[in-house]
Amino acid sequence: MLSLLRSSKRIQRTQQIAQISLLCRDTLCDVAASAGGDSSRIVTIEKLEGGFSKALLMKKGNGKEVIAKLPCRIAGPTSLTTACEVGVLEYVRKYTSIPAPRVFSWSSDDSNPVGAEYIIMEKVAGVPLFEQWGKMAEIEKLELIKNLTKLEAQLAAIRFPAYGGLYRQADVSSLQCQELNGSICIGPSCGRSFSTDSAAVLSTQSEKLDYGPLTFIWAIFLLRLARTQKIVSLIDFQSLSVLPLFLQAQWPVFLKPPQNYTKGLVQPKLPGDFDELDEEGKAAALQEWSQSKLAKAYEVATVLENGVAHNAMNIPRVFRELFIRCGEVSEVGVVPLRECLIEIFRNWSSLGFTGQCPYSFSNEEITTHEHQFAEYQAWDEVQQLAQECLDTDAEGWIAPQLDIEEKRRQNRELLSLYIKRMAGEKSPDEARAMWPFPG
């Protein structure tokens, strides 16, 4: 369902909204007031929107500001999600040059006086990337992309002895963890797609720190310096885990190439019939061309700055799909996972394996599956279309800078168009059932 987002607004402490009072706002304010080493009472609070955390911008009487983050119930496993975020922040600040906010105070025990898990961290300088991206010149975007790949290369160069989440050694004495150094260890993953009931799984492969684009890239803060854009901080480290690089290396969401993008040393060009297109067609072609150039810039910069990640992005797609589909079975069923297994079965030798595939499918089973997979593809196509057109995700989250009422109007219009398009194939009720959001 499309989220009901409120515009961020500054409110006085005596006028705080009910949600904050439920979290023992006075105690939270007391904790934040002493954060950073200079005690000063909290005088105003601004509620910021977030997908998996409630974020509060708290201003002190002395003019300084801090951020209070309180994870939502859907953010991840209780206690581990907060403890892991703190551990990752400490590791990144201590062992890389990647800019990240300092943690002043935190608790992963919701029985604390605040009544909820929380992190109090510094308010970093700059403005969010999404506010600047559309205003930046192409040369500025290219410079940012280059700098971004340099930061990613630092993460890709790190070797870990196990998969899982990063924690401060002193905070997880009750967990089965593997020590990295004197202060950080690897324990259970707090990623939302993985079970956290077991300890970290040891591996001899090359493991990398999670730098998934939905959690890092759109959280980048920028600082304008002349005609350059400097990344001054990455702020969202929630639910990050150590996993194989081929699962982690992927296109940042805002640099994702268009559908007909060609990888390699191929310069993006406008279509040959561009001059013959109408105005709407030309606008679409220019938009695709622009996105292709940015994607190409990221691809080339990754080759130059982060070659191991580039190689990981180009392994056979089915291997990454296999892991992803395993994590989606409870949500979308077994059909897409079975499609991966059948593809591996059919291409066992060409994928580089020797001997016989340890499982098999009969022709009858494959035929039955193909019908089921066609139905899944039709359903998935509708989901992706709606999410792309509405600038949202599977949960229907809308970024706070967008107009929620306009998105609702667009949703109703798109649903109406889809019902008309499916006339003769599906009834209006069947079409509505396929559409991901209520109209």
Side-chain angles (χ1 to χ4, degrees):
M1 180 180 294
L2 292 175
S3 304
L4 296 174
L5 299 182
R6 304 179 182 89
S7 299
S8 297
K9 59 181 180 179
R10 189 168 298 279
I11 56 177
Q12 297 298 322
R13 186 177 181 183
T14 56
Q15 298 174 323
Q16 291 172 22
I17 57 178
Q19 290 95 323
I20 301 175
S21 65
L22 293 175
L23 299 172
C24 300
R25 65 178 184 271
D26 292 336
T27 306
L28 182 63
C29 286
D30 290 340
V31 173
S34 60
D38 52 345
S39 183
S40 179
R41 71 185 185 91
I42 301 298
V43 293
T44 62
I45 296 175
E46 180 180 344
K47 179 176 177 290
L48 308 176
E49 294 295 345
F52 294 95
S53 292
K54 188 178 296 298
L56 306 173
L57 174 59
M58 295 181 155
K59 186 173 183 178
K60 299 184 178 184
N62 61 9
K64 295 186 177 181
E65 295 177 319
V66 296
I67 297 291
K69 286 187 63 178
L70 301 100
C72 300
R73 292 184 181 275
I74 61 172
T78 302
S79 180
L80 291 183
T81 299
T82 298
C84 185
E85 182 172 0
V86 172
V88 172
L89 280 165
E90 180 170 317
Y91 186 93
V92 169
R93 286 183 58 84
K94 190 172 183 179
Y95 296 103
T96 77
S97 63
I98 295 171
R102 290 177 295 163
V103 173
F104 295 133
S105 178
W106 69 283
S107 174
S108 61
D109 183 358
D110 59 10
S111 65
N112 61 45
V114 173
E117 298 178 41
Y118 66 85
I119 299 175
I120 308 295
M121 62 178 63
E122 70 173 320
K123 165 68 166 60
V124 296
V127 295
L129 174 60
F130 67 75
E131 292 182 5
Q132 291 293 100
W133 188 249
K135 306 173 186 177
M136 292 165 58
E138 186 174 271
I139 187 65
E140 294 175 321
K141 293 180 178 179
L142 296 178
E143 184 65 22
L144 183 142
I145 291 170
K146 179 181 178 180
N147 292 333
L148 173 61
T149 56
K150 289 181 178 179
L151 296 182
E152 290 180 334
Q154 290 190 50
L155 298 177
I158 301 171
R159 297 294 189 272
F160 292 102
Y163 306 143
L166 298 182
Y167 300 88
R168 300 198 327 167
Q169 185 78 37
D171 302 324
V172 289
S173 57
S174 62
L175 296 177
Q176 182 180 348
C177 298
Q178 178 163 341
E179 184 177 340
L180 289 179
N181 49 49
S183 61
I184 302 294
C185 64
I186 298 183
S189 171
C190 63
R192 302 180 189 99
S193 298
F194 294 87
S195 169
T196 59
D197 294 333
S198 59
V201 179
L202 299 184
S203 172
T204 58
Q205 303 298 317
S206 297
E207 294 89 24
K208 319 294 178 180
L209 185 64
D210 185 341
Y211 52 101
L214 287 179
T215 52
F216 263 34
I217 304 309
W218 283 107
I220 291 176
F221 269 40
L222 303 179
L223 177 64
R224 181 177 291 278
L225 295 176
R227 288 191 57 79
T228 64
Q229 296 286 345
K230 180 181 178 182
I231 299 172
V232 296
S233 187
L234 280 70
I235 62 171
D236 193 349
F237 292 79
Q238 190 181 70
S239 298
L240 302 189
S241 301
V242 176
L243 290 172
L245 184 57
F246 76 90
L247 290 178
Q248 309 288 53
Q250 52 189 296
W251 298 92
V253 64
F254 69 109
L255 298 175
K256 188 175 181 179
Q259 187 172 4
N260 297 321
Y261 178 82
T262 302
K263 292 183 178 180
L265 298 177
V266 180
Q267 183 177 355
K269 296 180 180 180
L270 288 169
D273 61 347
F274 177 78
D275 292 334
E276 301 172 11
L277 299 175
D278 57 22
E279 291 304 312
E280 184 177 347
K282 287 182 178 179
L286 286 170
Q287 173 63 29
E288 182 172 320
W289 181 49
S290 176
Q291 188 64 21
S292 294
K293 288 191 292 182
L294 294 175
K296 184 62 66 177
Y298 179 78
E299 181 185 357
V300 172
T302 300
V303 171
L304 297 175
E305 304 289 347
N306 194 8
V308 292
H310 175 264
N311 294 338
M313 291 174 69
N314 287 281
I315 69 167
R317 170 198 51 79
V318 69
F319 295 140
R320 185 169 183 272
E321 285 284 315
L322 180 64
F323 281 80
I324 294 173
R325 298 312 182 189
C326 284
E328 294 179 345
V329 170
S330 62
E331 297 178 1
V332 300
V334 73
V335 172
L337 173 59
R338 189 191 301 128
E339 174 69 13
C340 291
L341 294 174
I342 290 176
E343 183 176 345
I344 293 173
F345 166 67
R346 283 173 158 173
N347 300 281
W348 184 257
S349 297
S350 61
L351 288 172
F353 296 113
T354 58
Q356 295 292 320
C357 181
Y359 60 86
S360 62
F361 293 90
S362 67
N363 291 335
E364 182 179 356
E365 288 173 328
I366 291 176
T367 299
T368 300
H369 164 78
E370 287 174 345
H371 290 297
Q372 295 173 341
F373 188 64
E375 293 180 357
Y376 165 79
Q377 283 183 305
W379 173 84
D380 186 62
E381 180 182 341
V382 174
Q383 311 305 301
Q384 298 303 319
L385 172 67
Q387 292 176 33
E388 181 177 349
C389 292
L390 296 172
D391 297 306
T392 186
D393 58 16
E395 283 74 37
W397 186 81
I398 299 296
Q401 72 272 16
L402 301 178
D403 185 338
I404 182 64
E405 293 303 327
E406 173 61 17
K407 290 301 175 183
R408 285 174 172 157
R409 185 197 66 77
Q410 292 176 5
N411 180 58
R412 291 191 296 269
E413 184 176 310
L414 285 169
L415 175 56
S416 178
L417 290 173
Y418 178 68
I419 291 174
K420 292 179 181 178
R421 173 187 168 187
M422 299 305 294
E425 297 182 35
K426 296 182 182 296
S427 69
D429 287 343
E430 289 174 328
R432 288 190 185 91
M434 291 274 286
W435 195 255
F437 311 117

